[in-house]
Amino acid sequence: MSGIWGNKFKISIFGESHGAAIGVTIDGLPSGLKINLNNIENEMERRAPGRNSISTSRKESDKFEIISGFFNGYTTGTPLTAIIRNNDKKSKDYLMLSHVMRPSHGDYSGFLKYNGFNDYRGGGHFSGRITAPIVLAGAIAKEILRNKGIEIVSRIKSIKNISDEEIDICNPPMDKLLLLKNKGLAVLNDENASLMKEEILNAKKQGDSVGGVIQCIINGLSGGVGEPFFDSLESTIAHLAFSVPAVKGIEFGRGFDITKFNGSQINDEYYYDGEVVKASSNNNGGIVGGITNGMPISFNVAIKPTASILKEQNTVDIKEKINTKLAIEGRHDPCIVQRAIPVIEAISAIAIAELI
Amino acid sequence: MSGIWGNKFKISIFGESHGAAIGVTIDGLPSGLKINLNNIENEMERRAPGRNSISTSRKESDKFEIISGFFNGYTTGTPLTAIIRNNDKKSKDYLMLSHVMRPSHGDYSGFLKYNGFNDYRGGGHFSGRITAPIVLAGAIAKEILRNKGIEIVSRIKSIKNISDEEIDICNPPMDKLLLLKNKGLAVLNDENASLMKEEILNAKKQGDSVGGVIQCIINGLSGGVGEPFFDSLESTIAHLAFSVPAVKGIEFGRGFDITKFNGSQINDEYYYDGEVVKASSNNNGGIVGGITNGMPISFNVAIKPTASILKEQNTVDIKEKINTKLAIEGRHDPCIVQRAIPVIEAISAIAIAELI
Amino acid sequence: MSGIWGNKFKISIFGESHGAAIGVTIDGLPSGLKINLNNIENEMERRAPGRNSISTSRKESDKFEIISGFFNGYTTGTPLTAIIRNNDKKSKDYLMLSHVMRPSHGDYSGFLKYNGFNDYRGGGHFSGRITAPIVLAGAIAKEILRNKGIEIVSRIKSIKNISDEEIDICNPPMDKLLLLKNKGLAVLNDENASLMKEEILNAKKQGDSVGGVIQCIINGLSGGVGEPFFDSLESTIAHLAFSVPAVKGIEFGRGFDITKFNGSQINDEYYYDGEVVKASSNNNGGIVGGITNGMPISFNVAIKPTASILKEQNTVDIKEKINTKLAIEGRHDPCIVQRAIPVIEAISAIAIAELI
Amino acid sequence: MSGIWGNKFKISIFGESHGAAIGVTIDGLPSGLKINLNNIENEMERRAPGRNSISTSRKESDKFEIISGFFNGYTTGTPLTAIIRNNDKKSKDYLMLSHVMRPSHGDYSGFLKYNGFNDYRGGGHFSGRITAPIVLAGAIAKEILRNKGIEIVSRIKSIKNISDEEIDICNPPMDKLLLLKNKGLAVLNDENASLMKEEILNAKKQGDSVGGVIQCIINGLSGGVGEPFFDSLESTIAHLAFSVPAVKGIEFGRGFDITKFNGSQINDEYYYDGEVVKASSNNNGGIVGGITNGMPISFNVAIKPTASILKEQNTVDIKEKINTKLAIEGRHDPCIVQRAIPVIEAISAIAIAELI
């Protein structure tokens, strides 16, 4: 596959940043699912650019049109397709970029793959903009999960070297985490948020960028979900996560940190809480043997610093076949971690909709 | 899917640890691929248990039989199936484990998924033993890659808190890395190796276990490989990596560490090395926009401490519905990092065979 | 799957007859494929309704817009999506049909499947109109095949009891068959064409309908194409053919007729024609063991009489739960065989693009 | 795909006629499905060769071994694999056939596809023998269907020009049809059976072969089954049917015959039978719009005369590159229609297990 993913909750994604439109088809939806368009709009708005000082000034309304599979407020059970027209595009910004390769961008690897036929304008199909349809599909997946009492929340765990406080992933503070949806930066501690904002604005001032780590919590998911050998919940989430541009790492539960402990220190011991089996720690992040054990799911995702920066960098011009220098003008986020949050939630919702 | 993976290099895996046999079918192989059975045997031997003091004493010959798709030394182009009979199994070790759940094992999550019908003996389908057919399929994938000049090597990057020396992932020391195949622990620096061995034997003595991090390097892979949006090389490798029991994290290039830097510090700048485009750093691990850029691939995988330990742990008995204590006797590895190395190489080889 | 098909030439189809739009995404196209939009328009025009006296009077321009994957006249290698807006729809014609089930239509079976949430207007997703995106995808597949010297032609073999002349499927008269694209009815013999037209107009006059058989010839396809065990060329074509509404049978080569002969009479004997292996008969229609043998492909498809007729029929009203009678007013083809021809060619082109 | 099929009831098939073994993996089975091994044995026995005078004298016990996914009489929910060792193989019969191409066999098309690396012995992967694992998988699918009250029966509709009596496919005579499992030829009318047997033995005597038509009835399947646009029940059954060697046509309900009627004559009108919606005719064979409407399913399959015949035929020797003559000695069925019956039932059971 490539632009198509899934067996049960199938998505087919399409579009280029500066083409006519981007969009997604969802195939395999049940019929009769009530969809509140406001919920979709809200999710789209969370990802949309141009919302505040730490984001790009490209203003996309990300207005979507559902053109099939939706009738009288309910899904029909046939493929649901939504498209988002591209409006505020300034393609002339990008003419030079068809042959001057931006470092750490998909330009050069994409050039090799597509033999120079890819739409280079605005990153084309590799633009972060293509995550808008992912958020849309995720919003619909969330409607399915909501009906089953499953909730997904995410937060910024760190920006550069500034970390937010740790949370208890046996009993995640859902109330607090849900409130983060309304904050400029999804950070629990306001002081940490200020420091992070400062770091981002500082990078912006210098024509530079920063990255960070997102933690995602899935609450209310019952045990027994996951399809080993190959389609464990971890494999499914990771597969989708690495489709998101800028993701360079993923870890479940304690992740890489788990390797620093002895088994006896880090194994999650079970006990009966009344009739219910629980674990007294959740270092595996709620997934053992690829299958959920009923504890909350927790995973972290590493988002690299935005590749496009104003600061001059060395690179190559593949038309002239010479070394050159590049300062990327355009409108770019100094940090995309905040805008990546609804995307990470979306891929989580899609992964679970695929497996439950 | 679940036991079936892939579109081009398709694998279908089956078997339980204490059933009659385990095995794999590879579908989509080209016809006329010469296969040297010794190469497969060598790979199987690298993973096999009972090879030294830091491994389980279960002695499996892991002798395989190819029963289809192979004729006169060459693949036929039709499905190739290999089976490995299970011999040295002591199922009585496991009778109690049908209802006393091992912490951090797939027992309880598997019980929830399969309603108690799963084969609990020796971990059944969730046993690390099921990685033997993965290694076999990987050995065949490696034959394909070898013909294209692609080489995969791995090493132990750390065991618990002991790390081996860093390597240059722009120019990985392939000669040294290839020699690791013959060492008891695949560690570059012998002093580090001794410290790691000590750590492992110490855990063993205490009936405990340790984990670690594996680094995998893929050299010789040309640029342009990967199928975004969804089937990036990162997604494909990560999907398979999280199928391997005990993997809790994966990161490409600098991974989580990349979030600690500014874009200007960490972007991989391109330059012309004669006619060839290279990057002066490789913080993205050779994959940008989900597609290879011609630099070596590097990724790290976190392997958790072996879940089965002799030390007594708290857990539940789901038959009696009571809290209980468990000391897992049986024969278990105090550390499976070394034995996981050929498995991680195998899934890398399979991922690339799928995408090239 | 359902609205998504294929592994190499993947198509994802969407839309309802009276929704906002119908369309298709093609995933897996090579980059750099030159596409002549006129060729697509011509294929669309062949299928479009309202072209002559034997067709429905619904006038759809079937104007498509390619919204992704196409840049400066060439495919980019990323998903290509095209949409066709629905214009001349008269939904009021259909209000009653949400509960009065049209005999031999998908109304009742669709009601059972979608629990009444399907878009009943104009047949919704089950309308023959959904074949328009299939024709579009087929037109693009044909561009790929044309570059390889593969040609697909079809003709009406029979309408009701009137058959056209037989052709030699060892050496199909390609020149004559290609000319059929310009005729009102794709029939070789003009006298037969007149009789068929008379039969169709006669049915129309009586508010009735007729069906027929289409023969499809694929010329220039080399031997060795097909992926047994499961994805034989026959399986692949048949799978897609039965997606087309109104298809009730398919047969390759002599098909059902082959059962009337002895093996010695009907086996296709090979001989050398210079250096080239040929068969002296082609009763297997160019496919043996699921793989092409280099002879032209020939298959027949049975198209049932249009289910929608003006003549009064017995049926049920599922809202009132009573027996009732129905005369379907609306605008319907008395015979869709002619309009089904480009659809059958399209699915053939798609099947081959998938397997070569 | 190729040897792998399905999304829900996935099968992965492998093996060559004269290799070590043939077999199948079923992936996606529910856990806790009770399987009666006798039922499987009975189905295998129906297909097995050497059972009477009208069959080949090759005697295969078709003894299977389930090596995974089955524990204490129940499915575990993990992949179930069964293998059948090849015993009574006389490969020397086939040595010459590596270069002398049997007319109407997969030899030559397979040679082109696999560049001469395929296992030519006994037809290799293209042998009818590979249908044994299909029957095995079908027997397990039947266990699932039986629990839901779905029954599949088949009969010989015709051998060469001799037809059996017509049956009412609105109310198929299930009692009579079920008894056919115990007859030498699955024919309702004994006189017709005698004539057919005579025809077969006559062909055998002359070193020739005959084909025929199988009718398959599926009773008890509820309405609403099928996944258009692409995975209609017709598409799913047809896909699998054309995987079976020797199938050259398939038609649902009245099939090709339906084209001889007017819509008003052939549409299936609905009526209320008490609370239940039924159709007063079943010319669509229980499938409308690709979805079941609650009526019994009926479809016909054309089986060509056995390609291997003793009678001398013209063909080519691709090693010598000359025209030659061939009389196929070996042990071959003069007619495989009877032995194909359990195979057609098996693919029907698999198709339904995939879609329900």
Side-chain angles (χ1 to χ4, degrees):
Chain A
M1 305 217 179
S2 63
I4 294 175
W5 182 91
N7 280 301
K8 189 179 164 191
F9 189 97
K10 284 164 274 180
I11 49 180
S12 167
I13 207 164
F14 52 83
E16 280 84 29
S17 182
H18 290 218
I22 55 177
V24 64
T25 297
I26 310 172
D27 193 71
L29 283 173
S31 64
L33 176 70
K34 189 169 189 167
I35 292 183
N36 186 333
L37 296 182
N38 285 338
N39 291 344
I40 302 182
E41 277 161 23
N42 290 342
E43 290 293 309
M44 300 299 278
E45 187 65 17
R46 292 174 73 199
R47 195 212 69 90
R51 291 305 173 269
N52 57 42
S53 61
I54 59 168
S55 172
T56 167
S57 59
R58 176 174 178 173
K59 284 226 176 51
E60 284 288 357
S61 60
D62 279 2
K63 254 199 145 50
F64 60 91
E65 180 194 10
I66 298 182
I67 60 178
S68 71
F70 186 65
F71 185 48
N72 292 337
Y74 293 87
T75 57
T76 56
T78 55
L80 184 154
T81 297
I83 61 174
I84 302 159
R85 292 276 169 187
N86 293 320
N87 297 313
D88 182 22
K89 49 193 183 194
K90 302 194 176 174
S91 296
K92 63 183 174 334
D93 289 359
Y94 291 95
L95 285 178
M96 189 247 291
L97 299 179
S98 65
H99 49 98
V100 177
M101 306 284 96
R102 291 171 298 174
S104 288
H105 250 284
D107 298 353
Y108 180 61
S109 51
F111 168 80
L112 293 174
K113 177 164 183 60
Y114 299 108
N115 303 306
F117 286 100
N118 51 315
D119 181 352
Y120 52 81
R121 299 168 304 165
H125 188 60
F126 303 96
S127 164
R129 180 154 173 72
I130 309 307
T131 58
I134 293 287
V135 169
L136 196 151
I140 291 173
K142 280 183 175 180
E143 298 281 316
I144 295 174
L145 304 193
R146 191 169 293 127
N147 295 338
K148 295 178 188 286
I150 304 165
E151 222 154 20
I152 301 176
V153 286
S154 301
R155 60 143 182 165
I156 298 177
K157 200 173 189 297
S158 66
I159 292 289
K160 224 180 159 189
N161 290 301
I162 305 154
S163 297
D164 194 19
E165 58 198 46
E166 287 296 317
I167 60 171
D168 174 8
I169 57 176
C170 282
N171 292 292
M174 294 305 291
D175 291 350
K176 283 192 199 170
L177 289 165
L178 281 164
L179 289 175
L180 298 182
K181 301 211 180 192
N182 308 317
K183 296 180 80 171
L185 283 179
V187 178
L188 285 170
N189 181 302
D190 287 340
E191 262 175 74
N192 295 332
S194 295
L195 292 169
M196 290 179 190
K197 189 171 176 183
E198 203 176 315
E199 190 77 52
I200 295 168
L201 291 175
N202 196 28
K204 188 183 183 182
K205 212 177 333 171
Q206 296 169 41
D208 212 333
S209 64
V210 291
V213 175
I214 292 170
Q215 181 177 27
C216 184
I217 303 285
I218 303 164
N219 208 31
L221 183 57
S222 58
V225 174
E227 295 289 337
F229 193 83
F230 292 115
D231 295 335
S232 71
L233 180 54
E234 286 151 318
S235 285
T236 306
I237 290 175
H239 192 135
L240 287 171
F242 281 114
S243 300
V244 179
V247 169
K248 292 307 287 185
I250 189 167
E251 57 181 8
F252 290 84
R254 290 287 280 267
F256 279 89
D257 203 33
I258 213 170
T259 68
K260 310 285 187 201
F261 295 87
N262 283 113
S264 64
Q265 297 171 297
I266 208 83
N267 277 353
D268 297 319
E269 298 181 312
Y270 291 112
Y271 69 98
Y272 271 102
D273 180 16
E275 292 278 288
V276 184
V277 174
K278 289 193 176 167
S280 52
S281 59
N282 192 11
N283 299 312
N284 283 286
I287 310 174
V288 197
I291 303 173
T292 58
N293 67 356
M295 297 297 291
I297 309 303
S298 172
F299 67 91
N300 301 327
V301 162
I303 308 285
K304 72 178 183 184
T306 318
S308 294
I309 55 176
L310 185 60
K311 263 196 177 169
E312 194 178 75
Q313 301 175 87
N314 296 308
T315 191
V316 293
D317 181 323
I318 57 170
K319 201 168 78 184
E320 307 293 334
K321 297 207 169 186
I322 52 166
N323 292 329
T324 185
K325 285 183 188 297
L326 174 69
I328 305 170
E329 308 274 344
R331 302 159 298 175
H332 302 288
D333 288 297
C335 176
I336 53 153
V337 179
Q338 174 65 27
R339 286 182 60 206
I341 283 181
V343 183
I344 296 302
E345 291 183 10
I347 62 101
S348 304
I350 293 166
I352 293 169
E354 168 77 6
L355 290 174
I356 56 174
Chain B
M1 305 214 179
S2 64
I4 294 175
W5 181 90
N7 280 301
K8 188 179 164 191
F9 189 95
K10 283 163 276 180
I11 49 180
S12 166
I13 207 164
F14 52 84
E16 280 84 30
S17 182
H18 290 218
I22 56 177
V24 64
T25 297
I26 310 172
D27 193 72
L29 283 172
S31 65
L33 176 71
K34 190 170 190 168
I35 291 182
N36 186 334
L37 296 182
N38 285 337
N39 290 345
I40 302 182
E41 276 161 23
N42 290 342
E43 291 293 309
M44 300 298 279
E45 188 64 19
R46 291 174 73 200
R47 194 213 68 92
R51 291 303 175 269
N52 57 43
S53 60
I54 59 167
S55 172
T56 167
S57 60
R58 177 174 178 173
K59 285 225 176 53
E60 285 288 357
S61 61
D62 280 0
K63 255 201 144 50
F64 61 91
E65 179 195 11
I66 297 182
I67 60 177
S68 71
F70 186 65
F71 185 49
N72 291 338
Y74 293 87
T75 57
T76 56
T78 56
L80 184 153
T81 298
I83 60 174
I84 302 158
R85 293 274 169 189
N86 295 319
N87 297 313
D88 181 22
K89 51 194 182 192
K90 300 195 176 174
S91 296
K92 63 180 171 343
D93 289 0
Y94 291 96
L95 285 177
M96 191 246 290
L97 299 179
S98 65
H99 49 100
V100 177
M101 305 285 94
R102 291 171 298 173
S104 289
H105 249 283
D107 298 352
Y108 180 62
S109 51
F111 168 80
L112 293 174
K113 177 166 183 57
Y114 299 109
N115 303 307
F117 286 100
N118 51 315
D119 182 352
Y120 52 82
R121 298 168 304 165
H125 188 60
F126 303 95
S127 164
R129 180 154 175 73
I130 309 307
T131 58
I134 294 285
V135 170
L136 196 151
I140 291 173
K142 279 184 175 180
E143 299 282 316
I144 295 173
L145 305 192
R146 192 168 293 128
N147 296 338
K148 295 178 189 288
I150 303 164
E151 221 155 19
I152 300 176
V153 286
S154 300
R155 59 140 181 168
I156 298 177
K157 198 171 190 298
S158 66
I159 292 289
K160 224 181 157 189
N161 289 300
I162 305 153
S163 296
D164 195 19
E165 58 198 47
E166 288 297 316
I167 60 172
D168 173 8
I169 57 175
C170 281
N171 292 291
M174 293 306 290
D175 290 351
K176 282 191 199 170
L177 290 166
L178 282 164
L179 289 175
L180 299 183
K181 302 211 180 193
N182 308 318
K183 296 180 80 171
L185 282 179
V187 178
L188 286 169
N189 181 302
D190 287 339
E191 262 176 72
N192 295 333
S194 296
L195 290 168
M196 291 180 189
K197 190 173 176 184
E198 203 176 315
E199 190 78 52
I200 295 167
L201 291 175
N202 196 29
K204 187 183 184 183
K205 216 180 323 171
Q206 295 168 41
D208 212 333
S209 64
V210 292
V213 175
I214 293 170
Q215 182 177 26
C216 183
I217 303 286
I218 304 164
N219 209 32
L221 183 57
S222 58
V225 175
E227 295 289 336
F229 191 82
F230 292 115
D231 295 335
S232 70
L233 181 53
E234 287 151 318
S235 285
T236 305
I237 290 175
H239 192 134
L240 287 171
F242 281 114
S243 300
V244 179
V247 169
K248 293 307 287 185
I250 189 166
E251 56 181 8
F252 291 83
R254 289 287 279 268
F256 280 89
D257 203 33
I258 213 170
T259 68
K260 309 286 188 202
F261 296 87
N262 284 112
S264 64
Q265 297 170 297
I266 207 83
N267 278 353
D268 297 320
E269 298 182 312
Y270 292 111
Y271 68 98
Y272 271 101
D273 181 16
E275 290 278 288
V276 183
V277 173
K278 288 193 177 167
S280 52
S281 59
N282 192 10
N283 299 312
N284 283 286
I287 310 175
V288 198
I291 303 174
T292 57
N293 67 356
M295 297 297 290
I297 309 303
S298 171
F299 67 90
N300 300 327
V301 163
I303 308 285
K304 73 177 182 184
T306 318
S308 296
I309 55 175
L310 184 60
K311 263 197 177 168
E312 195 178 72
Q313 301 175 86
N314 296 309
T315 192
V316 293
D317 181 323
I318 55 171
K319 202 169 76 185
E320 307 294 334
K321 296 206 169 187
I322 52 167
N323 293 329
T324 184
K325 286 184 187 298
L326 174 68
I328 305 169
E329 309 275 343
R331 302 159 297 176
H332 303 289
D333 288 297
C335 176
I336 54 154
V337 178
Q338 174 65 27
R339 287 182 59 207
I341 282 180
V343 183
I344 296 302
E345 291 183 10
I347 62 103
S348 304
I350 292 166
I352 294 169
E354 169 77 7
L355 290 174
I356 55 175
Chain C
M1 307 216 176
S2 62
I4 294 175
W5 182 90
N7 280 301
K8 189 179 165 191
F9 189 96
K10 286 164 273 180
I11 48 179
S12 167
I13 207 164
F14 52 84
E16 281 84 29
S17 182
H18 290 218
I22 55 177
V24 65
T25 297
I26 309 173
D27 194 71
L29 283 173
S31 65
L33 176 71
K34 190 169 191 170
I35 292 182
N36 187 334
L37 296 182
N38 285 337
N39 290 344
I40 302 183
E41 276 161 23
N42 290 342
E43 290 293 310
M44 299 300 278
E45 187 65 18
R46 290 174 74 199
R47 194 213 69 92
R51 291 305 173 270
N52 56 43
S53 60
I54 60 168
S55 173
T56 167
S57 59
R58 176 174 178 175
K59 284 224 176 54
E60 286 287 358
S61 62
D62 279 1
K63 254 199 147 52
F64 60 92
E65 179 194 11
I66 297 183
I67 60 178
S68 72
F70 185 66
F71 186 48
N72 291 339
Y74 293 86
T75 56
T76 57
T78 55
L80 185 153
T81 298
I83 60 173
I84 303 158
R85 293 275 169 188
N86 294 319
N87 297 313
D88 182 22
K89 51 195 182 193
K90 301 194 178 175
S91 295
K92 61 179 176 336
D93 289 0
Y94 291 96
L95 285 177
M96 190 247 291
L97 298 179
S98 65
H99 49 99
V100 177
M101 305 285 96
R102 290 172 298 174
S104 288
H105 249 283
D107 298 353
Y108 179 62
S109 50
F111 168 81
L112 293 174
K113 176 165 185 55
Y114 299 109
N115 303 306
F117 286 99
N118 52 316
D119 182 352
Y120 52 82
R121 298 169 303 166
H125 189 60
F126 304 96
S127 164
R129 178 150 176 74
I130 310 306
T131 57
I134 294 285
V135 169
L136 196 152
I140 291 173
K142 281 183 174 180
E143 298 282 316
I144 295 173
L145 305 193
R146 192 169 292 127
N147 296 338
K148 295 178 188 287
I150 304 165
E151 221 154 20
I152 301 176
V153 287
S154 300
R155 59 141 181 167
I156 298 177
K157 199 171 191 294
S158 64
I159 292 288
K160 224 182 156 188
N161 290 301
I162 305 154
S163 297
D164 194 22
E165 59 199 44
E166 287 296 316
I167 60 171
D168 173 8
I169 59 176
C170 282
N171 293 292
M174 294 306 291
D175 290 351
K176 282 191 198 171
L177 289 166
L178 282 164
L179 289 176
L180 298 183
K181 300 211 182 194
N182 309 317
K183 296 180 79 172
L185 283 179
V187 178
L188 287 169
N189 180 302
D190 287 339
E191 260 176 75
N192 295 332
S194 297
L195 291 169
M196 290 179 190
K197 189 172 176 184
E198 201 177 318
E199 189 78 52
I200 295 168
L201 291 175
N202 196 28
K204 188 183 184 183
K205 213 179 326 171
Q206 295 169 41
D208 212 333
S209 65
V210 292
V213 175
I214 292 170
Q215 181 177 26
C216 183
I217 303 286
I218 304 164
N219 208 32
L221 182 57
S222 59
V225 174
E227 295 290 336
F229 192 83
F230 292 115
D231 295 335
S232 70
L233 181 54
E234 285 151 318
S235 285
T236 306
I237 290 175
H239 192 135
L240 286 171
F242 281 114
S243 301
V244 179
V247 169
K248 295 305 288 184
I250 190 167
E251 57 181 8
F252 291 83
R254 290 287 278 267
F256 280 89
D257 202 33
I258 213 171
T259 68
K260 309 287 187 201
F261 295 86
N262 285 110
S264 64
Q265 297 171 299
I266 208 83
N267 278 352
D268 296 320
E269 297 181 312
Y270 291 113
Y271 68 97
Y272 271 103
D273 180 16
E275 290 278 288
V276 183
V277 173
K278 289 193 176 167
S280 52
S281 58
N282 192 12
N283 299 312
N284 283 286
I287 309 173
V288 197
I291 303 172
T292 57
N293 68 355
M295 297 296 291
I297 310 302
S298 171
F299 67 92
N300 300 327
V301 162
I303 308 285
K304 73 178 182 184
T306 317
S308 294
I309 55 175
L310 184 61
K311 261 196 179 171
E312 194 178 73
Q313 300 175 86
N314 295 308
T315 191
V316 293
D317 181 323
I318 57 169
K319 200 168 79 184
E320 307 292 336
K321 296 207 169 188
I322 52 167
N323 293 328
T324 184
K325 285 183 186 298
L326 174 68
I328 304 169
E329 309 275 343
R331 301 159 297 175
H332 301 288
D333 287 298
C335 177
I336 54 154
V337 179
Q338 174 66 26
R339 286 182 59 208
I341 282 181
V343 183
I344 296 302
E345 291 182 10
I347 62 102
S348 304
I350 293 166
I352 292 168
E354 169 77 6
L355 291 174
I356 54 174
Chain D
M1 307 217 177
S2 63
I4 294 176
W5 182 91
N7 280 301
K8 188 179 165 192
F9 189 97
K10 284 163 275 181
I11 48 180
S12 167
I13 207 165
F14 51 84
E16 281 85 30
S17 181
H18 290 218
I22 54 177
V24 65
T25 297
I26 310 173
D27 193 71
L29 282 173
S31 65
L33 176 71
K34 190 169 189 168
I35 292 182
N36 186 334
L37 297 182
N38 285 337
N39 290 345
I40 302 182
E41 277 161 22
N42 290 342
E43 291 293 310
M44 300 299 279
E45 187 65 18
R46 291 174 74 199
R47 194 212 70 91
R51 290 305 173 267
N52 57 42
S53 60
I54 60 168
S55 173
T56 166
S57 58
R58 177 174 177 172
K59 284 227 176 51
E60 285 288 358
S61 62
D62 279 0
K63 253 199 148 50
F64 60 92
E65 180 194 10
I66 297 182
I67 60 178
S68 73
F70 186 64
F71 186 48
N72 291 338
Y74 293 87
T75 56
T76 57
T78 55
L80 184 153
T81 298
I83 59 172
I84 303 158
R85 293 276 169 187
N86 294 319
N87 296 313
D88 182 22
K89 50 195 182 192
K90 301 195 177 174
S91 296
K92 62 182 175 337
D93 290 359
Y94 292 97
L95 285 178
M96 190 246 292
L97 299 179
S98 65
H99 50 98
V100 177
M101 305 286 95
R102 293 170 297 173
S104 289
H105 249 283
D107 298 354
Y108 179 63
S109 50
F111 168 81
L112 293 173
K113 176 165 185 58
Y114 299 108
N115 302 307
F117 286 99
N118 52 315
D119 182 352
Y120 53 80
R121 298 168 304 166
H125 189 61
F126 303 96
S127 164
R129 178 152 176 73
I130 309 307
T131 57
I134 294 285
V135 169
L136 195 151
I140 291 173
K142 280 183 175 182
E143 297 282 316
I144 295 173
L145 305 193
R146 192 169 293 126
N147 295 338
K148 295 179 189 285
I150 304 164
E151 222 154 21
I152 301 175
V153 287
S154 300
R155 61 143 181 165
I156 298 177
K157 199 173 190 296
S158 65
I159 292 289
K160 224 183 157 186
N161 289 301
I162 305 154
S163 298
D164 194 19
E165 58 198 45
E166 287 296 316
I167 60 171
D168 173 9
I169 58 176
C170 283
N171 293 291
M174 294 305 292
D175 291 351
K176 282 191 199 173
L177 290 165
L178 282 164
L179 289 176
L180 298 183
K181 301 211 181 192
N182 308 316
K183 296 179 79 171
L185 282 179
V187 178
L188 286 169
N189 180 302
D190 287 340
E191 259 176 75
N192 295 333
S194 297
L195 291 169
M196 290 179 190
K197 188 171 177 184
E198 202 177 316
E199 191 78 51
I200 296 167
L201 291 175
N202 196 27
K204 187 183 184 183
K205 213 178 329 172
Q206 296 169 40
D208 211 333
S209 64
V210 291
V213 175
I214 292 171
Q215 182 178 25
C216 183
I217 302 285
I218 303 165
N219 208 31
L221 183 57
S222 58
V225 174
E227 295 289 336
F229 192 83
F230 292 115
D231 295 335
S232 70
L233 180 54
E234 286 151 318
S235 285
T236 307
I237 290 175
H239 192 135
L240 287 170
F242 281 114
S243 301
V244 179
V247 169
K248 293 306 287 185
I250 189 167
E251 57 181 7
F252 291 83
R254 291 286 280 267
F256 280 89
D257 202 33
I258 213 171
T259 68
K260 309 286 187 201
F261 296 86
N262 284 111
S264 65
Q265 297 171 299
I266 208 84
N267 278 353
D268 296 319
E269 298 181 310
Y270 290 112
Y271 69 96
Y272 271 103
D273 181 16
E275 290 278 287
V276 184
V277 172
K278 289 193 175 167
S280 51
S281 59
N282 192 9
N283 299 313
N284 283 286
I287 309 174
V288 197
I291 303 173
T292 57
N293 66 356
M295 297 296 291
I297 310 302
S298 171
F299 67 90
N300 301 327
V301 162
I303 308 285
K304 73 178 182 183
T306 318
S308 294
I309 55 176
L310 185 59
K311 263 196 178 170
E312 195 177 76
Q313 301 174 86
N314 294 309
T315 190
V316 293
D317 181 323
I318 56 170
K319 200 169 77 184
E320 307 293 334
K321 296 207 168 186
I322 52 166
N323 293 328
T324 184
K325 284 181 189 298
L326 173 69
I328 304 169
E329 308 274 343
R331 302 159 296 175
H332 302 288
D333 288 296
C335 176
I336 54 153
V337 179
Q338 174 65 27
R339 286 183 59 207
I341 282 181
V343 183
I344 296 302
E345 291 183 9
I347 62 102
S348 304
I350 292 166
I352 293 169
E354 169 77 6
L355 291 175
I356 55 172

